[in-house]
Amino acid sequence: MIKRIITAIVALCIFVPVLIFSDTMIFPIVMSVCAVIGCYEMFSCIGLKKNIILALPIYIAAACMPVFKRILPSADFVKLALCITGVVIVYMLGVAVFNCKKISVTDTGLAFTACFYIIAAFVGIVYLRDNILYGKHIYLLTFLCAWMTDTFAYFTGRLLGKHKLIPDVSPKKTVEGAIGGVVFCVITTVIFGLIIVKFFNPDGNISANYPVLAISGIFISVVSQIGDLTMSLIKRHYGIKDYGKLFPGHGGILDRFDSVMAVSVVMTLICTYFNLLN
């Protein structure tokens, strides 16, 4: 427990300045680093980390895409992203065919799908910061909602949990804990709106769309927990405890950001069509 607390404090001391300087290139570079490490951890989990021929294009894409999202106009980025995705798909299919005796096509497919998801999630965080209305505030919900859902699902489950949620995937998670995570995530989104309007609105131009915030909180929390469970399912399938050792006592990037990645994807979709702040 002490190791986990110390790691959490150190991680926050590093991560908070990254958020403070989110308007600089530090932010997309850190997202790129997280994406590369996340892809490496996934390849390690699947047992393909030594297959550089297969992994190298994914690492290059992970390193470039969040940075490109910051420096390129949106239309140019979409064209580039589609091009890179198409090339990587064809490349990995070719590698799978010519190495069919060494690499399982199932493992290759999972590696591509999982790494595409990881890269898209960290690109999504940069997109939320840069390309939506009041994104400099909204993107913080990606982290707040994921971590508040995890935290309160845990404590609610400890206090009230009686019915197992999906014991074959995560034996300790309960239905009561999942509901508690959703409830407190909704509360978090509404309080977030209140705080932004009250303390970060010097000109009085920002208003919070509270119904959309509350409804979004429900979907965000559910998806956050699905993201957590999905990563747990993959770990169980390959018989590992943690994806990595980057955070002593906590695991790797995929262990700590599993919920954040899922939230990033769903928030990108929500914020494309709805304004959380007006």
Side-chain angles (χ1 to χ4, degrees):
M1 179 61 73
I2 294 177
K3 180 190 291 188
R4 288 175 64 87
I5 293 173
I6 293 174
T7 299
I9 292 172
V10 172
L12 282 174
C13 289
I14 296 172
F15 195 65
V16 169
V18 172
L19 298 181
I20 293 174
F21 293 101
S22 64
D23 59 335
T24 71
M25 285 303 298
I26 293 174
F27 186 69
I29 289 172
V30 170
M31 294 300 104
S32 291
V33 171
C34 289
V36 172
I37 296 173
C39 290
Y40 173 81
E41 290 175 354
M42 184 55 66
F43 274 107
S44 297
C45 169
I46 297 173
L48 297 175
K49 70 176 182 179
K50 294 183 180 180
N51 195 313
I52 300 300
I53 293 177
L54 183 66
L56 185 59
I58 295 291
Y59 295 153
I60 293 173
C64 294
M65 297 305 285
V67 173
F68 286 162
K69 185 68 202 74
R70 170 62 59 91
I71 64 178
L72 293 177
S74 293
D76 293 340
F77 174 79
V78 170
K79 293 177 183 177
L80 179 63
L82 290 173
C83 181
I84 291 175
T85 302
V87 169
V88 171
I89 289 174
V90 173
Y91 177 85
M92 292 190 75
L93 289 174
V95 172
V97 169
F98 289 103
N99 289 271
C100 60
K101 293 184 178 180
K102 297 180 180 179
I103 306 173
S104 164
V105 67
T106 303
D107 289 345
T108 303
L110 176 60
F112 172 78
T113 303
C115 289
F116 179 85
Y117 164 66
I118 292 166
I119 295 169
F122 285 105
V123 169
I125 295 174
V126 180
Y127 166 81
L128 289 168
R129 171 61 181 80
D130 292 352
N131 296 100
I132 66 167
L133 186 64
Y134 300 117
K136 66 179 181 180
H137 304 307
I138 292 295
Y139 87 99
L140 294 172
L141 278 175
T142 307
F143 305 100
L144 288 173
C145 287
W147 291 336
M148 294 300 281
T149 294
D150 286 349
T151 300
F152 284 99
Y154 172 79
F155 284 112
T156 305
R158 288 290 299 270
L159 291 172
L160 304 174
K162 294 181 179 179
H163 303 88
K164 297 297 183 181
L165 184 63
I166 309 178
D168 290 338
V169 177
S170 186
K172 295 182 180 180
K173 294 188 184 302
T174 64
V175 173
E176 293 81 4
I179 294 172
V182 171
V183 171
F184 280 96
C185 183
V186 171
I187 293 172
T188 297
T189 58
V190 173
I191 292 177
F192 176 84
L194 289 169
I195 291 174
I196 295 299
V197 171
K198 181 69 174 178
F199 298 103
F200 296 91
N201 188 20
D203 299 324
N205 296 326
I206 303 176
S207 62
N209 194 337
Y210 293 110
V212 174
L213 281 167
I215 295 171
S216 297
I218 297 173
F219 287 103
I220 289 169
S221 182
V222 170
V223 171
S224 172
Q225 296 181 62
I226 290 174
D228 185 350
L229 289 167
T230 300
M231 287 300 172
S232 295
L233 179 62
I234 295 173
K235 284 193 294 186
R236 282 189 170 275
H237 178 76
Y238 286 98
I240 65 170
K241 182 179 183 295
D242 294 318
Y243 282 103
K245 300 179 180 179
L246 184 62
F247 305 107
H250 291 265
I253 286 289
L254 297 184
D255 297 291
R256 288 302 89 204
F257 287 84
D258 49 6
S259 299
V260 170
M261 292 188 300
V263 171
S264 169
V265 173
V266 73
M267 278 198 62
T268 297
L269 294 174
I270 291 172
C271 292
T272 299
Y273 299 100
F274 301 96
N275 290 330
L276 302 183
L277 299 174
N278 295 312

